[in-house]
Every structure is written in C-alpha cells, then in structure tokens.
Amino acid sequence: MSDILCITNRKLCGEDFLSRIEKLAKARPQGIILREKDLSKQQYEILARQVMDICAAYDTPCILHAFTGAALSLKAKALHLPLPLLAQLTKKERKAFSVLGASCHSVKDALLAERLGCTYITAGHIFATDCKKGLPGRGIAFLEEVCKNVSVPVYALGGITPETKKEVLKTGAKGVCIMSSAMTCADPDRYLAELDSTK
C-alpha cells in the first residue's frame, strides 16, 4: 500500500488540473489532499465535488482541506485542517470525519492535534523546499521528536524526494507528502511508483 499523500496546488499545474488529478488518482497514492486555499467556499465545493468523483472512480481517498462547511455539505469522510481551524471544530463536526488530519510545525502542535482527535498529522517542512523559499527545513531531528511523542501516523512534508524519503522513514514517520512534484512531474504513475518503492 502507498505511503504517499499528494497535496494539490493547481497554480503549479502545467496542464488541465482535473486531468492531473485523474493521473494522480490512477497512480493510487494513500490519498489526495485538495488544498486550494484561495478559492471561495462555493468555488471550492464545486471543485471538490469533481475531484471526489474522480478519486472515487480509482478508489483513491480524497481528503478535503480547510473548508469544513464544504466538506460537511458534500458528506466527505476525510478532512485536513490547519491547527487553528481544527481547534474550532465541535465534537459533533469532528465525529463526521473518519479521517481527520492537521498540519503541525512543532511537538506541541502534534500533541494538540492528537488530543483533538486527529487520525494522522503532517509535520513540516523537513527539508528546504521551493514552496518555502529562504526558510531552512526543520530537519530530521524535529521529525523524529514529533514521531516519538505521538501515537498517530505522521507524514513528513517539505523537500521530499526518492533520495530524502529513506532518511524520513527511519524516524518512525508513516509516510511522506508531496506537492510540487505531484503537480509537475512528467509521469505521475512512474514518479509515485519510484517514490513508493523507496522504503
């Protein structure tokens, strides 16, 4: 089974966005996080419905991001939130999702996310990456510390490549997240297969 979460950013996508989603869904990652923060709730909901349909066709989990209202109205089962938004969810809202993730940038964040009922977390950014130009990565020691302190699966993000993935998995991380490469690689099927084979 794949240990890769693909995060979307349609602004990085060099082709029709839904075509890219289909290629990624066909490659069967652990999940696709639809992270399109600049859209209005209405725009996001329209796009999310289309992406959820594509993912369902390939039996690839679609994880909605940030727009709790849209996720509830679409009866989505998976949602990923920045920590401040996660903290605002009611118990009832949290229970609506069988998969609930949060973005964490410290051990304190990770512990809070776990307390708030997350089924997984992302920790980053680990290595230097173009998405966070000029900001040094938090590093492998940071990731190891997060993994040691929580019992939920941790997915590392930031500067993940087949070369850096081995190092990441040694920390106890469950898997990795990719964004830029997911949106721009020439052949998603091949790229994900190569990344998946790195254990």
Side-chain angles (χ1 to χ4, degrees), residues 117-130:
C118 278
T119 58
Y120 78 93
I121 61 168
T122 61
H125 64 285
I126 306 304
F127 304 105
T129 169
D130 283 348

Side-chain angles (χ1 to χ4, degrees), residues 104-143:
C104 299
H105 305 101
S106 67
V107 171
K108 191 177 163 194
D109 285 358
L111 290 166
L112 176 59
E114 185 172 44
R115 243 191 347 268
L116 290 171
C118 278
T119 58
Y120 78 93
I121 61 168
T122 61
H125 64 285
I126 306 304
F127 304 105
T129 169
D130 283 348
C131 300
K132 305 270 186 191
K133 260 201 190 335
L135 282 179
R138 290 187 170 88
I140 285 293
F142 156 76
L143 180 60

Side-chain angles (χ1 to χ4, degrees), residues 52-193:
M52 284 170 74
D53 285 347
I54 293 169
C55 287
Y58 292 98
D59 205 21
T60 292
C62 176
I63 303 167
L64 299 191
H65 182 280
F67 291 91
T68 306
L72 289 167
S73 119
L74 290 167
K75 295 184 169 47
K77 286 290 157 219
L79 179 66
H80 187 99
L81 294 171
L83 212 46
L85 290 183
L86 174 69
Q88 288 170 23
L89 286 193
T90 65
K91 210 174 220 178
K92 188 182 174 191
E93 285 171 333
R94 290 203 297 268
K95 282 203 163 123
F97 303 101
S98 52
V99 174
L100 188 61
S103 308
C104 299
H105 305 101
S106 67
V107 171
K108 191 177 163 194
D109 285 358
L111 290 166
L112 176 59
E114 185 172 44
R115 243 191 347 268
L116 290 171
C118 278
T119 58
Y120 78 93
I121 61 168
T122 61
H125 64 285
I126 306 304
F127 304 105
T129 169
D130 283 348
C131 300
K132 305 270 186 191
K133 260 201 190 335
L135 282 179
R138 290 187 170 88
I140 285 293
F142 156 76
L143 180 60
E144 205 157 11
E145 203 56 28
V146 170
C147 293
K148 254 196 301 202
N149 278 278
V150 293
S151 54
V152 293
V154 177
Y155 289 81
L157 79 124
I160 305 298
T161 63
E163 293 72 44
T164 58
K165 187 184 168 196
K166 269 187 186 151
E167 215 181 330
V168 158
L169 295 182
K170 283 181 194 159
T171 65
K174 167 83 171 151
V176 297
C177 302
I178 55 171
M179 183 169 71
S180 306
S181 53
M183 294 290 99
T184 59
C185 63
D187 182 343
D189 203 34
R190 195 164 153 192
Y191 185 79
L192 262 69

